Amino acid sequence: LKLYCLSGHPTLPCNVLKFKSTTIMLDCGLDMTSTLNFLPLPLVQSPRLSKLPGWVLKDGSTFLDKTELLDLSTVDVILISNYHCMMALPYITEYTGFTGTVYATEPTVQIGRLLMEELVNSIERVPKAQSASMWKNKEVQRLLPTPLKDAVEVSMWRKCYTMPEVNAALSKIQLVGYSQKIELFGAVQVTPLSSGYALGSSNWIIQSHYEKVSYVSGSSLLTTHPQPMDQASLKNSDVLILTGLTQIPTANPDGMVGEFCSNLAMTVRNGGNVLVPCYPSGVIYDLLECLYQYIDSAGLSNVPFYFISPVANSSLEFSQIFAEWLCHNKQTKVYLPEPPFPHAELIQTNKLKHYPSIHGDFSNDFKQPCVVFTGHPSLRFGDVVHFMELWGKSSLNTVIFTEPDFSYLDALAPYQPLAMKCVYCPIDTRLNFIQVSKLLKEVQPLHVVCPEQYTQPPPTQSHRTDLMVDCQPPPMSYRRAEVLTLPYKRRYEKIEIMPDLADSLVPLEIKPGISLATVSAVLHTKDNKHVLQLPPKPPQPPASKKRKRVSDDVPECKPLKPLLSGSIPVDQFVQTLEKHGFSDVKVEDTAKGHIVLLQEAETLIQIEEDSTHIICDNDEPLRVKLRDLVLKFLQKF
């Protein structure tokens, strides 16, 4: 069992597991924090940004961590745990010679497609007049300002993929349902389980007949819109790979949602606008649900909510049709029939309006004060760039950060000086360290493997030893570009026996309650399944002298010697030798057993726990006689 770690970001994992001759990639997250090193991509020419002195970087690209640790064309399958962890898929399926299959649930694929579509759309609609790549030269890179100077392997950073590449990558995905068992080459079986974090998000069980590896990534025990987490199926794991925990362990999601609503209400009451940089799926559904309950009591019923994204309409519709992937409470609404999410009612009553972009209908309907949900949370591309430029100069307006993926201070850096208020309410429903400790006590894996960051307190809070994974035995940790040999040795393999062969076996009782039988068989192995079959019968002598064809030849099966068991009691053996005319018998004790010396015959018999040797010089009749005497004390089977 080997684990290759290809990502240094614990919440955007990319690991490769080698298990029983199969190579399985676990997630392919795209770390987009490197975009924070670049200037925003404004939809309209920004005089402020274009007049900046010094290094004006023109590459509006997103980037994939890549390492020479492993030839990615050897990967057999990719297992996706949630839609945030598949954003690098086109780089792997379209650029590496990958020919395998990708497994994911339907909501993961459909919402993952929306996220990729939004990313491609946001970058392609702002084409670059020129592109710069000289800065990637190591000599130039070390002259750059700090974040870029220290960036690792910038020569491997890539431009964003295209929509044809996205479609080609998604065509390689095979849809799966929770608890569906998928055979991989007959060697291992993989099963997705509900992880409770997002629509269709999964943990994976990878098991053979005698080994079980659990992959826990991006899971939640909180009651939100997805199906609850399946914990019971994780029990009895030999190895549990743990990744995708909360990025803000000290923040309580419920408290953050309350803070979000109160800051939003305060800004709007004072006549300001609220900007919420967000992804087009996920937490936005829960925020809209909380606002639905909060609007009337806070006196916000006349304030318009705008959701602007190229995929806004699809996202809101998909959330209403994936009923079987929702929590029980929302599933029951579908049979009433009612829409499972209240944002359907917000749309009907015109309180929530969605638009593909800021052009066209939106510019006609736009009223202030208002609340705008739009992307991208990095503030580097998408319609959010326009609103930051538009509203940044007024202290009445507020930007509320709810996504924890990017440092909000770094995200705001290119817009400084900024008059608008900034509120950080990160909402991350993934497991925190207290929940992880409880989960590990319940499922009790033999070994836990997790990223290095989870085995020590956060660098900014080194005294908080409660903010790390605590279990017995202590977890094994890994870091980017590291190969880990997992602490589990495979010991057994399952072999089936054919009924006619089983019929021919004759067990003999060796000790009370223990019987043994010898098996002479042909081992037939195909697709990692092993079957014992009857050996071929010896060929019959030909009736005539007609020459045989070569194809009629059957491999000869020599008759097998019987196996022997039991032990030789030395005193009784010596008496038997004396009865058969051997005199002058001496016995010597050795570390492993006994040596019986027949001095007259110049012969030596070594008796050990697992073997007996008769050593005599060129006297075959004597050797055979002694062998027969030894065999009297042993059982044949």
Side-chain angles (χ1 to χ4, degrees):
L1 273 170
K2 279 199 171 169
L3 188 73
Y4 296 74
C5 174
L6 306 185
S7 165
H9 199 307
T11 43
L12 293 168
C14 182
N15 296 314
V16 174
L17 179 70
K18 287 205 169 185
F19 180 30
K20 262 194 86 175
S21 74
T22 57
T23 304
I24 302 166
M25 179 175 277
L26 305 167
D27 284 329
C28 45
L30 183 64
D31 181 358
M32 296 209 292
T33 50
S34 50
T35 55
L36 295 174
N37 296 316
F38 295 88
L39 288 176
L41 296 177
L43 207 51
V44 181
Q45 178 68 25
S46 162
R48 188 180 66 81
L49 291 176
S50 56
K51 284 178 186 165
L52 283 175
W55 292 93
V56 181
L57 301 174
K58 302 282 187 182
D59 282 6
S61 309
T62 52
F63 318 100
L64 167 76
D65 263 3
K66 184 172 178 286
T67 171
E68 298 305 315
L69 208 58
L70 187 76
D71 178 359
L72 295 184
S73 66
T74 63
V75 172
D76 298 311
V77 294
I78 301 176
L79 306 180
I80 305 289
S81 58
N82 62 68
Y83 45 76
H84 287 297
C85 292
M86 65 181 283
M87 297 296 284
L89 192 63
Y91 289 123
I92 292 163
T93 60
E94 305 313 300
Y95 290 91
T96 64
F98 172 78
T99 55
T101 310
V102 186
Y103 291 100
T105 61
E106 190 180 0
T108 298
V109 175
Q110 298 299 357
I111 296 170
R113 179 195 295 276
L114 299 183
L115 292 178
M116 289 181 191
E117 199 177 312
E118 184 187 62
L119 174 64
V120 172
N121 188 298
S122 301
I123 286 173
E124 285 187 351
R125 69 183 184 173
V126 191
K128 291 267 130 321
Q130 60 190 102
S131 72
S133 57
M134 193 183 286
W135 63 273
K136 292 184 182 180
N137 182 312
K138 279 196 173 147
E139 293 304 307
V140 179
Q141 189 197 343
R142 60 192 182 80
L143 304 172
L144 295 176
T146 312
L148 277 174
K149 185 169 71 176
D150 306 327
V152 181
E153 291 185 10
V154 289
S155 58
M156 309 303 276
W157 288 5
R158 297 269 184 81
K159 279 208 161 67
C160 184
Y161 38 69
T162 62
M163 249 356 258
E165 287 169 343
V166 169
N167 293 330
L170 296 179
S171 70
K172 295 177 175 68
I173 297 181
Q174 197 166 312
L175 300 181
V176 291
Y178 288 151
S179 303
Q180 181 183 337
K181 291 177 168 53
I182 303 126
E183 285 274 338
L184 302 184
F185 318 110
V188 295
Q189 197 180 63
V190 296
T191 309
L193 310 170
S194 173
S195 75
Y197 167 56
L199 280 177
S201 65
S202 317
N203 291 323
W204 289 86
I205 300 289
I206 304 151
Q207 62 187 348
S208 63
H209 295 295
Y210 296 102
E211 298 90 22
K212 180 176 178 181
V213 177
S214 296
Y215 175 59
V216 175
S217 169
S219 302
S220 177
L221 292 169
L222 301 180
T223 309
T224 54
H225 59 272
Q227 242 186 66
M229 181 182 176
D230 178 353
Q231 296 176 66
S233 304
L234 298 171
K235 287 182 177 172
N236 306 317
S237 299
D238 298 305
V239 176
L240 187 143
I241 302 166
L242 179 69
T243 181
L245 303 184
T246 179
Q247 297 185 71
I248 29 153
T250 51
N252 171 10
D254 287 339
M256 289 291 127
V257 170
E259 216 172 295
F260 169 82
C261 291
S262 60
N263 275 290
L264 182 144
M266 201 192 317
T267 302
V268 174
R269 279 197 205 105
N270 294 334
N273 303 292
V274 176
L275 177 62
V276 185
C278 64
Y279 295 111
S281 179
V283 169
I284 187 170
Y285 303 146
D286 299 310
L287 291 178
L288 290 171
E289 186 157 353
C290 293
L291 288 171
Y292 171 79
Q293 294 158 359
Y294 185 76
I295 283 171
D296 295 330
S297 62
L300 300 175
S301 42
N302 297 324
V303 177
F305 290 78
Y306 300 121
F307 177 17
I308 305 167
S309 164
V311 296
N313 185 37
S314 306
S315 173
L316 292 171
E317 285 182 352
F318 273 137
S319 65
Q320 304 287 19
I321 61 169
F322 287 131
E324 71 271 34
W325 305 91
L326 296 170
C327 61
H328 179 70
N329 181 16
K330 292 203 180 309
Q331 279 187 23
T332 51
K333 286 187 175 183
V334 177
Y335 301 107
L336 288 178
E338 274 180 25
F341 284 96
H343 56 239
E345 195 180 316
L346 289 173
I347 293 167
Q348 279 169 1
T349 55
N350 263 346
K351 286 176 183 167
L352 173 65
K353 296 182 177 183
H354 53 85
Y355 302 93
S357 76
I358 53 175
H359 298 306
D361 291 346
F362 173 71
S363 43
N364 299 330
D365 300 348
F366 182 47
K367 288 192 184 81
Q368 302 189 76
C370 63
V371 178
V372 171
F373 295 88
T374 189
H376 185 264
S378 66
L379 307 191
R380 291 300 177 271
F381 49 86
D383 292 307
V384 73
V385 176
H386 179 74
F387 286 101
M388 287 299 296
E389 294 278 338
L390 182 70
W391 291 342
K393 298 175 187 68
S394 168
S395 59
L396 289 175
N397 303 322
T398 304
V399 55
I400 306 180
F401 292 90
T402 58
E403 299 290 351
D405 292 355
F406 300 91
S407 153
Y408 78 101
L409 293 172
D410 289 346
L412 290 168
Y415 301 97
Q416 300 293 3
L418 206 61
M420 78 190 296
K421 289 191 283 295
C422 302
V423 178
Y424 185 50
C425 299
I427 299 166
D428 195 337
T429 58
R430 286 172 285 204
L431 296 172
N432 62 32
F433 291 102
I434 297 164
Q435 292 166 333
V436 163
S437 296
K438 192 174 165 221
L439 175 73
L440 293 176
K441 279 187 185 121
E442 280 176 23
V443 302
Q444 293 189 320
L446 285 181
H447 304 281
V448 175
V449 181
C450 65
E452 187 179 48
Q453 292 94 320
Y454 297 159
T455 59
Q456 53 207 31
T460 52
Q461 297 168 292
S462 53
H463 61 288
R464 294 289 301 268
T465 51
D466 55 324
L467 300 181
M468 52 191 275
V469 173
D470 178 26
C471 63
Q472 288 302 327
M476 277 187 80
S477 66
Y478 61 79
R479 60 172 76 157
R480 183 179 176 273
E482 194 166 73
V483 183
L484 215 59
T485 301
L486 298 183
Y488 186 77
K489 292 273 184 289
R490 289 183 47 234
R491 289 181 295 173
Y492 300 108
E493 190 56 87
K494 187 176 178 180
I495 295 184
E496 290 183 7
I497 189 164
M498 295 297 279
D500 48 356
L501 176 61
D503 232 14
S504 68
L505 300 183
V506 184
L508 286 173
E509 191 168 49
I510 296 184
K511 291 180 187 172
I514 296 178
S515 297
L516 285 181
T518 51
V519 182
S520 287
V522 172
L523 177 62
H524 182 265
T525 297
K526 185 182 179 184
D527 292 339
N528 290 298
K529 295 220 176 356
H530 312 290
V531 182
L532 285 179
Q533 300 175 339
L534 272 173
K537 289 176 183 167
Q540 297 297 320
S544 64
K545 288 186 179 177
K546 197 169 88 175
R547 193 173 163 188
K548 282 195 304 179
R549 282 187 303 178
V550 177
S551 61
D552 292 340
D553 281 349
V554 177
E556 264 188 63
C557 279
K558 294 174 183 172
L560 289 161
K561 289 180 182 175
L563 296 177
L564 305 169
S565 77
S567 58
I568 301 165
V570 178
D571 295 343
Q572 288 179 35
F573 180 55
V574 169
Q575 286 170 17
T576 306
L577 288 172
E578 286 170 348
K579 271 184 202 169
H580 285 81
F582 294 99
S583 56
D584 202 11
V585 178
K586 277 192 178 177
V587 178
E588 287 179 13
D589 290 341
T590 65
K592 291 185 176 178
H594 309 277
I595 292 177
V596 178
L597 291 165
L598 308 179
Q599 289 182 314
E600 267 185 35
E602 293 182 353
T603 298
L604 183 134
I605 303 168
Q606 270 180 325
I607 300 171
E608 293 175 2
E609 194 181 344
D610 55 357
S611 62
T612 303
H613 299 280
I614 299 168
I615 301 161
C616 60
D617 281 339
N618 301 323
D619 193 343
E620 186 62 14
L622 174 62
R623 190 191 69 77
V624 170
K625 185 179 179 182
L626 289 171
R627 182 199 67 187
D628 292 343
L629 292 176
V630 168
L631 290 175
K632 281 183 180 176
F633 291 93
L634 299 173
Q635 233 181 330
K636 291 182 187 178
F637 64 95

